[in-house]
Amino acid sequence: MEVLNSGRSVLDAIEKGINVVENDPKVDSVGLGGYPDAEGNVTLDACIMDSNGNAGAVAYLSNIKNPISIARHVKEKTAHVLLAGKGAQKFALQNGFKKENLLTPETKKRWERWKQTNKEMHDPVKDNHDTIGLLAIDKNGNIAGGVSTSGWAYKMPGRVGDSSIIGASLFVDNNVGAACATGLGEKVIETVGSFLIVEKMREGYSPLEACKIAIKRLSKYNNSNIFQVSYLALNKDGEYAGFSNQKEFSYSIVTNNLSTIVKSDYLLK
Ligand code: GLY
């Protein structure tokens, strides 16, 4: 809101808002201090989409704490949409970003504890997939969105989640609205959730109805009760909603008159 109120663009608000979370070492699922993979390496996914339908993304980016800013650079300074791994890191360094160790003493300690007790990957339900997804609309009705995460804790090295996949974790159509996702990225990719939600809003469904349709698609999985997927949607009129397959999903709403945390409704009661 501070960025928007200072007269800067809705895309600036998305990037700067997500940077706050990426820079916070206490948030253990995004940026600095994010969960590492099974070998102790923190690898990050992010994507961003603007009001003109242009997108940028990074996948499997290491040692750069602000993947959302690199995603924006990909969108604005290359002919591509998605850069991954070493190439994404090289691009970040060429653009003046700093190489940093993202594994904090706290997340290192937790990873070492996990290594002693777990031979398999962590359970996707118990683990935190607290991706940040941020959608914003400005006073002129322009919409943008972004997503940033360290992904599934102790994932297989090489794993890329939904947060770098436009259409899965994020979609923006300035004529209709936007949607973003958090939770088990594999299921979000397989159901192309955010694109589905925006298309449903285009058909006239409300943000809540559209999120429910995307969550119901998860019922194709026999085990949809053992993982978590949650969506947020925002339409052109500024109406918004969140919906989850399971309980315990909350999201924040900030306007000039309001700053609050809302408990999302959910499907599996
Ligand atoms: N939704 C974040 C991830 O699964 O990587």
Side-chain angles (χ1 to χ4, degrees):
M1 283 310 293
E2 276 174 35
V3 172
L4 278 181
N5 288 337
S6 72
R8 291 165 70 190
S9 74
V10 69
L11 196 70
D12 288 339
I14 291 294
E15 181 190 354
K16 297 303 165 204
I18 291 179
N19 285 162
V20 172
V21 181
E22 290 175 334
N23 293 344
D24 186 344
K26 292 195 290 301
V27 179
D28 54 17
S29 52
V30 177
L32 176 67
Y35 287 121
D37 67 12
E39 293 179 354
N41 299 310
V42 181
T43 61
L44 305 174
D45 298 334
C47 64
I48 195 163
M49 200 161 177
D50 68 21
S51 312
N52 297 315
N54 300 311
V58 288
Y60 204 55
L61 176 67
S62 53
N63 298 105
I64 305 285
K65 75 176 172 194
N66 293 127
I68 196 71
S69 299
I70 316 305
R72 183 172 180 180
H73 272 67
V74 172
K75 177 179 85 67
E76 287 168 11
K77 295 190 187 317
T78 79
H80 306 306
V81 167
L82 171 60
L83 291 182
K86 286 207 169 93
Q89 190 194 72
K90 188 172 172 190
F91 174 72
L93 297 175
Q94 281 166 347
N95 280 279
F97 290 85
K98 254 189 15 234
K99 211 166 165 176
E100 289 176 63
N101 174 21
L102 302 181
L103 192 64
T104 59
E106 180 53 35
T107 44
K108 185 161 187 268
K109 219 185 308 164
R110 276 195 256 156
W111 167 66
E112 283 167 345
R113 224 167 23 230
W114 169 81
K115 262 202 315 181
Q116 285 166 3
T117 52
N118 290 270
K119 297 219 163 23
E120 301 296 326
M121 275 187 297
H122 253 189
D123 179 337
V125 177
K126 290 193 205 116
D127 277 341
N128 206 326
H129 273 69
D130 261 350
T131 306
I132 176 165
L134 183 56
L135 307 175
I137 185 165
D138 69 14
K139 61 180 189 306
N140 301 316
N142 287 321
I143 300 171
V147 173
S148 181
T149 192
S150 53
W152 185 333
Y154 318 129
K155 59 199 174 186
M156 281 179 71
R159 185 262 189 189
V160 169
D162 60 316
S163 302
S164 50
I165 312 294
I166 292 291
S169 74
L170 175 70
F171 197 70
V172 177
D173 183 321
N174 207 43
N175 294 318
V176 178
C180 66
T182 181
L184 187 57
E186 281 71 4
K187 307 305 180 201
V188 176
I189 294 172
E190 286 170 346
T191 53
V192 202
S194 295
F195 182 72
L196 174 64
I197 291 168
V198 173
E199 291 311 297
K200 288 294 162 190
M201 291 195 293
R202 192 191 308 280
E203 287 173 23
Y205 289 94
S206 70
L208 181 61
E209 289 165 341
C211 288
K212 276 188 186 169
I213 290 168
I215 289 292
K216 283 183 182 161
R217 289 282 166 97
L218 299 167
S219 64
K220 72 176 186 174
Y221 300 104
N222 296 329
N223 62 349
S224 66
N225 59 337
I226 69 152
F227 60 81
Q228 175 97 22
V229 168
S230 311
Y231 289 110
L232 298 179
L234 168 72
N235 71 14
K236 194 69 183 161
D237 297 325
E239 296 163 341
Y240 56 81
F243 197 71
S244 189
N245 66 332
Q246 305 221 46
K247 65 177 171 191
E248 317 243 331
F249 172 59
S250 305
Y251 59 98
S252 304
I253 303 294
V254 182
T255 70
N256 271 326
N257 311 316
L258 175 78
S259 175
T260 188
I261 293 177
V262 178
K263 268 199 169 166
S264 157
D265 196 7
Y266 58 97
L267 188 66
L268 301 171
K269 291 187 172 157

